[in-house]
Amino acid sequence: MKKKTIVFRGLAAVMAFVLMASASAITLTFQYAALINRALGVTTTKTLNPDGTEAENTIYWPNDYGYDADALVDVYRDAAATNVEIGQEGAVLLKNENSALPIAEGSGITLFGYAAYSSKIQDSSTASYMSTKTFDQAMQDEFGAENVNDVLLTDYYPNMEGAGGGGGFMMMSGGGVKSITEGEISEVKQYADTWSSANNDVAVVVFGRTGSEGNDVWQYAETDTYEDGSPRRMLDLSTNEEALISYVSDQKAAGVFKSIVAIIAGDYDVEMGFLEEYDVDGCVYAGNLGSYGVEGLVKVLSGKVSPSGRLVDTLAANSVSAPATLYAGHEGTQKWTNYEEVDARNPLVNDGDGNNINWYNIYAEGIYVGYKYYETRYEDTVMGNYSADSTVGSSTGSAWNYADEMCYPFGYGLSYTTFQQKLDSVEYSAADDSYTVSVTVTNTGSVAGKEVVQVYAQTPYGDYEKANLVEKASVNLMGFAKTGTLNPGASETVTVSVPRYFLASYDTYGAAGYILSAGDYYLAIGSDCHDALNNILAAKGYTTADGMTAEGDSSKIYTWAQDALDTESYRLSPYTGYEVTNQFEDGDLNYYGVEFTYLTRQDWEGTYPTELLAITATDAIIDTLSNYYYETPEDAPAYDSFTQGADNGMVLTDLVGVDFDDDETWNKFLDQFTVEELCNLMSDNISQQVVTRLGVVGGERCDDDKRSGGSITWNSHPTTSRTWNLDLVSDRGTLAGITAQLNGQDEIWWGAGNMHRTPFGGRHDQYYSEDANFDYVIGYAEAAAMQATGANICVKHFCTNDQETERTGLTTFITEQPLREIYARAFEGSFAGGAMGTMNALNRIGTKLAKNSYALNTIVLRNEWGFEGHVTSDGYVTLNYFQNACEELTAGMDYSCIDSNGVTGSLVYKAIEENKDGYLLQCIRLAAKRNLNAMLSTARINGQSGDTIIKTVVPGWQLALMAVSAVSGVLFVTFTVLSVVSRRKQKTTVSVEEVKSDEK
Amino acid sequence: MKNKPMSAKLSLCAAALSAVIAVFFLIYGLVNTYFDIVILLADLAAAVLFWLYGTKESGWSEYMGLGGVVLLSYSLGLFFLNSYTVWADWYGNFDMYGSRGGITPVIIQMVLLFAAILLGIISCFQDKGGKAA
């Protein structure tokens, strides 16, 4: 009896543990059920015909690959091939002397640099039929294993102190570190025997940098210093890297190596001064090559393909020499001096440590981002204007000089052949409101190759602009095109379309709208932005005698004069006809009573930002940081004026082909939802919430290409951008969309339009470039292609989420001109191309959270640009931070990303029902309409019609977990009871025996 | 202690470990400005129950050990759930949801809890001796 009691008690203890474990598992896994279902390939709804048979899966959004298992294999194969092509065309040849490249067949090669030691990404979905290669493997396959000395990669780097994780070429992580991993030169030298007598034709040295979500690259290393003791810049070579390249250079001088080729891995703009300093012969900027791009890179190195990539960022000699770097990232993001008061006065939104309300940043550089700063200051230096040659901002400490500051400008890239570009004509079409620039390209070299035609513009900077602080960069990219492969001697005429809209500038303080300035306009072609500017300067009569870095070619210019200021052409939006006027005055620091001067070209010396401004948050700042401000408007429609829960006999697919503006039909459908159902649609569960009776299926959303289950790891966005090949960009959009469709995903939260404002942003790999017009063109092509497949491209993070540091609530002070011309423009093309989704930034514009901004999400996005898709928050809501649900809804945000607990929808529902708030009800109906309209643009609706039935299916793993929990619960109670009963019986027995014993 | 049966010894070990866990959690919470009173109370209550089981001989103390296991299991589950932000940051290799000092202290806390639970369960399967049970 006693034994039974103990066994039951022990079993009860085991069951208690199992019960708690399974309950925890249920709580957690059910919250992320969509992710798990996707990983397991499980669906939660079935679309059935009325007779119970499964409905066919191709109606509204067909694809060319079909729908069986082989279809996915085929699309993966094509995607892999496209990635190889992107690896080829995205490679930018920066330097090539002494015929270092291509590497001749049979050459002996030794690989150096920790970044060369990279882990490959073997995507699980493709493992069965396609393998990926490390850089080492790809080099051996391309040049012959016997010709490649990889001893450092196999013997030293994996075992050295500090080694770990992936290396350079693949999807990298580990940003936020303050030191660079590289081998000790004394250890490297231990292997010198392996290259002193063989494999010593070419030394290939790889350097790379990493960033990641949440972690910007630090501007300065923590302990690594220059000889004078000052901290090393993280994008300059580290001491160990410099020792390595110095050693290799010495080996070359000693006759061991014939040439040195450097390769830059990753998407960070390493300072390139070392190429000259250490006599490096050739250099290729390879980028972030995903799973397959490395195979394209080695084809460039071997000369099977001539490089045709061009830079999409400026490679400055000094990575902190741009004005934007002062207020950026780890070093330039500051706390209010009175942050404790800010915390105390905002208890409702303080996330515990105040990180969401205490930090600010200033876009002090205005429009002078990337090349727009360096080239504009260059022109002013040549022309002797505006104290441009002062020492402020100079990397050398002496007068500012372009040659000292620049290694390779935006748009730069060499080839194994040479090209000649001839500007044939420029024609304006009033019907399209655009210029067509025709250029004939001729291959004047000896091998085949592709060439990029780049068109830039300079617009007038006159008295009106100066008086009204309308800033103008000396060159702005207007458009581009890439030729096909041209054999030696062959020519091709390409045309580039330049929207006249791109020539307009946003005039905040004068016309409060877009203007076309009076004065001389220049359209220029050039091999890069600097070359184009030199051509413009040549047309103005300047030469190297005036300080130009090279003579320009005025035959590559088209110029015209505009007599008068034009404030009317773009007074109304070219997309919708809505009046465009100031919307972001509260983005400007001066709006809050803090005097601040942004960089203006007319006073380089006086306005170049040199010292961080410590700000004491004013009452105006503190009061607006809370972002709780919603009140029911007086003219709100009555709650009862809406009908909800009606039965109008409609399902979602009845709206296929119905115009978004057809309010009557849409309202008839929306009337069928209950208020709670409408609110539920606002809470994302990595899928749309299901309303089966109305044919609203769940769908699945996923976080960009690299993380989506069953996808492949693509070359990064900037690596793809460096191809300057819109066909490849479109191919990527198409294949990513079809991959999503075949994996059951209907929306991809896709990196896109945030800017490479500085070289230090943690997620450079997700954003196209440093130039907004470039992003416009790329974004347009990618969005149009992906949407055509029936997958929503949800571009992120709209907008000014250009750094990771303190991004969750960071106050971003910015004036309206750069906001519109740069940070919003970079997204604008995606929407013009048809993107049906966008993810808001986590930061604020001024003190207003981007997702709470009516100006951003409704006026600009919808009213001006005509966007008919939906807006999501960034995925931060599960922690219940920033739940200004009513403010978000009324601003124009439609769903909360990863709101698995339904917090946002519940808050809105509560607000509507408790206050009988007709305005919120009107807004939630509109949000639902946008969410559903976005769903109609996806393949999720394939197979559905008014006749089909949608059945909810509980996945097996959920049933199993619930069963384990239930059974363990029952067993716990049972064993406990049995143990107690057994103990009582035992006690009774003992008592009886004791009585008997006493009687004896 | 020497003369105590194995069941009581294990329970006292579990009690000591539970107390250590509570202190560890308290320090962890203070360092990372994170606190969950329910977890702390569950750990402390478990320590008390294990101690009662190990030192008292009569009546319902027989089930104190079982109670300790229930409380620690609950504490483990809750702690795991509340640490998903740390797991998410660790898994994603970013700093998005709140890393709270990284994954190491979370794993230490969970391992300690599991060890204490294991001691409690083994103790429950042992005879404590005495009049009853």
Side-chain angles (χ1 to χ4, degrees):
Chain A
M1 189 65 74
K2 191 173 182 180
K3 194 175 176 186
K4 270 187 181 175
T5 304
I6 293 167
V7 169
F8 287 142
R9 187 180 64 190
L11 289 173
V14 171
M15 287 305 121
F17 176 71
V18 174
L19 174 63
M20 294 302 173
S22 58
S24 299
I26 285 173
T27 307
L28 195 64
T29 57
F30 281 33
Q31 190 170 349
Y32 295 97
L35 272 181
I36 296 166
N37 289 336
R38 190 168 68 210
L40 297 175
V42 175
T43 55
T44 54
T45 54
K46 272 186 177 175
T47 306
L48 305 174
N49 293 317
D51 63 2
T53 58
E54 203 148 326
E56 285 196 22
N57 192 28
T58 53
I59 299 178
Y60 306 105
W61 295 94
N63 74 70
D64 295 337
Y65 289 83
Y67 297 91
D68 56 19
D70 289 342
L72 205 48
V73 172
D74 290 343
V75 74
Y76 281 143
R77 281 204 178 110
D78 285 355
T82 300
N83 273 282
V84 173
E85 267 191 88
I86 293 171
Q88 290 171 185
E89 292 204 25
V92 182
L93 180 63
L94 296 176
K95 183 179 181 185
N96 193 14
E97 293 177 354
N98 307 319
S99 302
L101 288 166
I103 297 171
E105 193 176 346
S107 297
I109 300 165
T110 294
L111 304 179
F112 292 92
Y114 180 75
Y117 159 61
S118 54
S119 56
K120 65 181 177 180
I121 295 177
Q122 179 60 69
D123 297 307
S124 58
S125 56
T126 58
S128 59
Y129 62 91
M130 188 174 288
S131 61
T132 58
K133 296 175 183 175
T134 62
F135 175 63
D136 184 11
Q137 290 167 334
M139 287 292 285
Q140 292 189 40
D141 289 350
E142 189 68 17
F143 293 96
E146 70 283 6
N147 294 322
V148 177
N149 175 12
D150 61 354
V151 63
L152 292 172
L153 279 61
T154 56
D155 285 18
Y156 174 48
Y157 294 134
N159 305 311
M160 74 181 201
E161 193 179 340
F169 291 100
M170 308 303 184
M171 166 67 179
M172 296 190 296
S173 57
V177 295
K178 297 179 78 174
S179 62
I180 303 299
T181 306
E182 186 53 80
E184 294 286 342
I185 194 60
S186 57
E187 297 292 328
V188 171
K189 287 178 180 175
Q190 302 296 317
Y191 299 88
D193 286 351
T194 66
W195 57 77
S196 60
S197 56
N199 299 110
N200 52 13
D201 291 311
V202 185
V204 172
V205 187
V206 183
F207 296 127
R209 293 292 182 273
T210 68
S212 65
E213 181 165 358
N215 290 302
D216 291 321
V217 174
W218 286 82
Q219 296 184 17
Y220 295 96
E222 187 168 29
T223 56
D224 198 6
T225 62
Y226 293 107
E227 285 180 3
D228 65 1
S230 61
R232 272 187 183 261
R233 296 182 296 276
M234 285 287 284
L235 293 181
D236 195 0
L237 295 192
S238 68
T239 297
N240 280 2
E241 286 175 330
E242 194 161 359
L244 175 64
I245 195 70
S246 174
Y247 167 74
V248 173
S249 183
D250 289 345
Q251 291 283 288
K252 179 187 163 191
V256 176
F257 291 111
K258 292 191 179 86
S259 62
I260 303 171
V261 171
I263 296 175
I264 305 302
D267 290 316
Y268 286 91
D269 303 329
V270 174
E271 296 178 15
M272 304 302 295
F274 76 91
L275 295 181
E276 295 303 319
E277 188 176 353
Y278 292 104
D279 197 22
V280 176
D281 303 280
C283 180
V284 175
Y285 191 131
N288 186 333
L289 297 173
S291 295
Y292 304 101
V294 73
E295 294 187 52
L297 170 66
V298 296
K299 286 183 169 59
V300 169
L301 297 178
S302 70
K304 285 180 181 162
V305 176
S306 183
S308 61
R310 300 290 183 265
L311 292 176
V312 295
D313 293 302
T314 300
L315 295 189
N318 179 331
S319 54
V320 297
S321 64
T325 57
L326 180 68
Y327 290 100
H330 294 287
E331 287 90 343
T333 304
Q334 301 182 94
K335 262 185 172 179
W336 315 111
T337 58
N338 57 336
Y339 66 87
E340 286 170 338
E341 182 190 354
V342 173
D343 278 353
R345 284 174 57 180
N346 283 290
L348 285 176
V349 292
N350 186 335
D351 65 4
D353 55 13
N355 280 340
N356 59 331
I357 55 175
N358 283 338
W359 297 86
Y360 67 90
N361 196 355
I362 308 172
Y363 283 31
E365 72 283 2
I367 68 159
Y368 300 107
V369 176
Y371 73 87
K372 292 179 181 175
Y373 163 67
Y374 294 100
E375 301 304 327
T376 306
R377 193 156 178 183
Y378 165 69
E379 182 184 45
D380 285 344
T381 305
V382 170
M383 296 174 70
N385 287 337
Y386 319 125
S387 65
D389 62 352
S390 74
T391 58
V392 67
S394 163
S395 297
T396 62
S398 51
W400 193 91
N401 180 294
Y402 183 86
D404 293 335
E405 305 295 337
M406 185 58 57
C407 283
Y408 299 102
F410 177 91
Y412 181 86
L414 301 173
S415 170
Y416 294 152
T417 186
T418 52
F419 296 95
Q420 184 182 64
Q421 294 189 24
K422 180 174 171 290
L423 178 60
D424 297 326
S425 64
V426 176
E427 291 177 5
Y428 174 70
S429 162
D432 301 332
D433 193 28
S434 66
Y435 296 87
T436 300
V437 181
S438 295
V439 179
T440 298
V441 180
T442 304
N443 184 344
T444 55
S446 56
V447 298
K450 293 182 177 180
E451 170 71 318
V452 177
V453 172
Q454 304 171 40
V455 179
Y456 294 85
Q458 182 179 113
T459 61
Y461 183 55
D463 292 341
Y464 175 86
E465 287 72 28
K466 289 172 197 167
N468 290 286
L469 294 176
V470 180
E471 298 300 324
K472 295 290 187 87
S474 287
V475 279
N476 294 282
L477 183 74
M478 292 287 113
F480 57 89
K482 195 167 193 175
T483 67
T485 300
L486 294 176
N487 289 319
S491 295
E492 180 181 336
T493 298
V494 299
T495 57
V496 178
S497 178
V498 175
R500 192 170 70 119
Y501 174 54
F502 281 6
L503 296 171
S505 299
Y506 194 80
D507 174 8
T508 311
Y509 309 107
Y514 281 102
I515 60 167
L516 288 165
S517 300
D520 295 331
Y521 285 73
Y522 298 87
L523 280 180
I525 58 171
S527 55
D528 53 57
C529 67
H530 187 61
D531 186 48
L533 179 56
N534 275 339
N535 293 338
I536 293 169
L537 283 167
K540 290 181 175 182
Y542 291 92
T543 67
T544 49
D546 300 300
M548 285 173 62
T549 55
E551 298 294 355
D553 181 352
S554 58
S555 71
K556 293 181 175 176
I557 296 296
Y558 175 80
T559 184
W560 71 97
Q562 180 168 305
D563 294 336
L565 175 72
D566 175 0
T567 60
E568 290 306 313
S569 284
Y570 301 107
R571 167 67 65 192
L572 304 181
S573 160
Y575 307 104
T576 62
Y578 187 86
E579 183 175 6
V580 178
T581 190
N582 291 353
Q583 300 296 337
F584 299 99
E585 286 163 332
D586 57 354
D588 185 350
L589 179 52
N590 294 283
Y591 175 87
Y592 302 91
V594 180
E595 195 173 323
F596 186 79
T597 304
Y598 297 85
L599 179 61
T600 173
R601 176 181 180 179
Q602 58 189 300
D603 184 9
W604 291 107
E605 188 167 19
T607 61
Y608 186 99
T610 54
E611 284 184 23
L612 290 168
L613 176 68
I615 299 176
T616 300
T618 60
D619 286 343
I621 290 173
I622 296 173
D623 291 344
T624 51
L625 277 170
S626 81
N627 279 310
Y628 278 104
Y629 49 77
Y630 175 74
E631 288 177 7
T632 309
E634 285 180 8
D635 60 347
Y639 174 88
D640 294 334
S641 64
F642 298 98
T643 304
Q644 301 304 154
D647 181 6
N648 295 329
M650 292 176 73
V651 293
L652 180 63
T653 46
D654 291 332
L655 292 164
V656 172
V658 173
D659 196 276
F660 188 72
D661 296 325
D662 182 349
D663 289 337
E664 188 181 342
T665 309
W666 270 101
N667 284 335
K668 199 174 157 193
F669 183 62
L670 292 169
D671 286 349
Q672 299 180 116
F673 289 79
T674 65
V675 176
E676 191 170 16
E677 285 169 340
L678 289 171
C679 294
N680 286 344
L681 294 179
M682 200 178 171
S683 290
D684 163 74
N685 185 24
I686 319 179
S687 65
Q688 175 78 64
Q689 300 286 347
V690 175
V691 187
T692 51
R693 68 187 174 81
L694 300 177
V696 179
V697 287
E700 290 178 17
R701 297 161 178 156
C702 61
D703 196 8
D704 75 55
D705 53 337
K706 295 184 195 68
R707 295 171 199 159
S708 56
S711 184
I712 71 168
T713 305
W714 285 84
N715 296 301
S716 67
H717 294 248
T719 300
T720 307
S721 299
R722 279 189 285 270
T723 67
W724 292 63
N725 185 333
L726 293 177
D727 291 338
L728 282 177
V729 172
S730 293
D731 287 349
R732 188 172 86 142
T734 300
L735 290 162
I738 294 173
T739 306
Q741 185 192 128
L742 293 179
N743 279 305
Q745 298 151 356
D746 45 47
E747 179 157 298
I748 309 179
W749 299 319
W750 187 259
N754 290 120
M755 297 295 297
H756 295 179
R757 174 179 168 243
T758 73
F760 304 101
R763 283 201 270 181
H764 269 196
D765 64 310
Q766 291 188 345
Y767 310 137
Y768 299 130
S769 80
E770 70 174 28
D771 184 76
N773 287 348
F774 181 87
D775 288 9
Y776 184 105
V777 176
I778 293 276
Y780 186 105
E782 192 157 64
M786 197 183 295
Q787 285 295 158
T789 67
N792 281 343
I793 179 170
C794 183
V795 291
K796 60 187 184 180
H797 310 84
F798 188 55
C799 64
T800 69
N801 185 170
D802 308 302
Q803 69 174 48
E804 298 299 295
T805 306
E806 306 301 342
R807 62 188 167 137
T808 50
L810 176 72
T811 293
T812 306
F813 293 116
I814 181 171
T815 55
E816 186 138 2
Q817 188 189 2
L819 182 58
R820 282 182 175 273
E821 288 184 21
I822 297 177
Y823 299 98
R825 172 70 56 79
F827 285 86
E828 192 176 336
S830 296
F831 303 124
M836 286 299 284
T838 187
M839 178 181 284
N840 274 148
L842 284 169
N843 56 282
R844 301 160 192 267
I845 297 172
T847 58
K848 187 167 283 182
L849 286 164
K851 65 181 179 178
N852 287 17
S853 173
Y854 183 80
L856 186 71
N857 297 318
T858 296
I859 295 181
V860 172
L861 185 60
R862 266 80 181 226
N863 297 355
E864 294 183 14
W865 295 349
F867 177 68
E868 293 181 349
H870 58 177
V871 178
T872 174
S873 68
D874 199 346
Y876 205 64
V877 296
T878 47
L879 295 182
N880 298 337
Y881 296 165
F882 312 128
Q883 292 302 297
N884 314 101
C886 297
E887 288 77 5
E888 291 161 7
L889 173 66
T890 53
M893 197 194 86
D894 303 306
Y895 76 87
S896 281
C897 178
I898 319 180
D899 184 11
S900 305
N901 294 329
V903 175
T904 311
S906 302
L907 289 171
V908 170
Y909 178 66
K910 192 177 165 194
I912 292 174
E913 290 299 332
E914 282 185 357
N915 306 317
K916 296 299 173 195
D917 191 321
Y919 182 66
L920 285 181
L921 181 53
Q922 185 182 41
C923 290
I924 196 69
R925 283 171 63 97
L926 183 56
K929 180 182 176 185
R930 293 163 178 155
N931 285 326
L932 297 170
N933 193 47
M935 176 156 278
L936 285 169
S937 65
T938 73
R940 175 59 51 188
I941 61 169
N942 278 356
Q944 296 178 45
S945 70
D947 296 330
T948 52
I949 302 157
I950 296 167
K951 190 180 170 191
T952 305
V953 181
V954 180
W957 65 269
Q958 287 187 327
L959 289 172
L961 266 181
M962 288 190 285
V964 168
S965 190
V967 169
S968 59
V970 169
L971 287 177
F972 168 69
V973 173
T974 305
F975 287 135
T976 305
V977 170
L978 284 173
S979 177
V980 171
V981 169
S982 170
R983 180 179 169 278
R984 282 195 171 171
K985 279 185 183 172
Q986 175 196 340
K987 202 172 174 183
T988 309
T989 308
V990 170
S991 299
V992 170
E993 283 173 359
E994 281 175 352
V995 170
K996 283 180 182 174
S997 176
D998 289 347
E999 285 173 355
K1000 281 178 184 175
Chain B
M1 185 73 177
K2 256 187 182 177
N3 299 326
K4 283 189 179 296
M6 181 56 70
S7 181
K9 285 179 183 174
L10 288 171
S11 188
L12 287 172
C13 287
L17 196 51
S18 300
V20 168
I21 289 166
V23 172
F24 181 84
F25 180 72
L26 194 59
I27 295 169
Y28 173 69
L30 289 172
V31 170
N32 297 292
T33 46
Y34 158 74
F35 196 67
D36 190 328
I37 188 74
V38 178
I39 292 175
L40 184 69
L41 288 178
D43 294 343
L44 289 172
V48 171
L49 291 181
F50 281 131
W51 180 77
L52 286 174
Y53 177 82
T55 54
K56 305 291 177 188
E57 291 199 353
S58 60
W60 288 98
S61 71
E62 292 299 322
Y63 290 94
M64 295 300 176
L66 177 58
V69 170
V70 171
L71 285 170
L72 283 189
S73 298
Y74 176 69
S75 172
L76 177 61
L78 194 58
F79 180 75
F80 173 64
L81 284 180
N82 290 348
S83 67
Y84 79 91
T85 57
V86 182
W87 293 98
D89 274 7
W90 169 77
Y91 179 75
N93 195 22
F94 45 53
D95 184 9
M96 183 170 175
Y97 297 106
S99 295
R100 285 205 309 251
I103 202 72
T104 309
V106 170
I107 290 174
I108 290 172
Q109 170 88 358
M110 290 179 64
V111 168
L112 289 175
L113 277 165
F114 185 70
I117 291 166
L118 206 57
L119 286 172
I121 289 174
I122 297 170
S123 168
C124 285
F125 275 113
Q126 303 277 325
D127 183 3
K128 200 174 76 165
K131 287 181 182 176

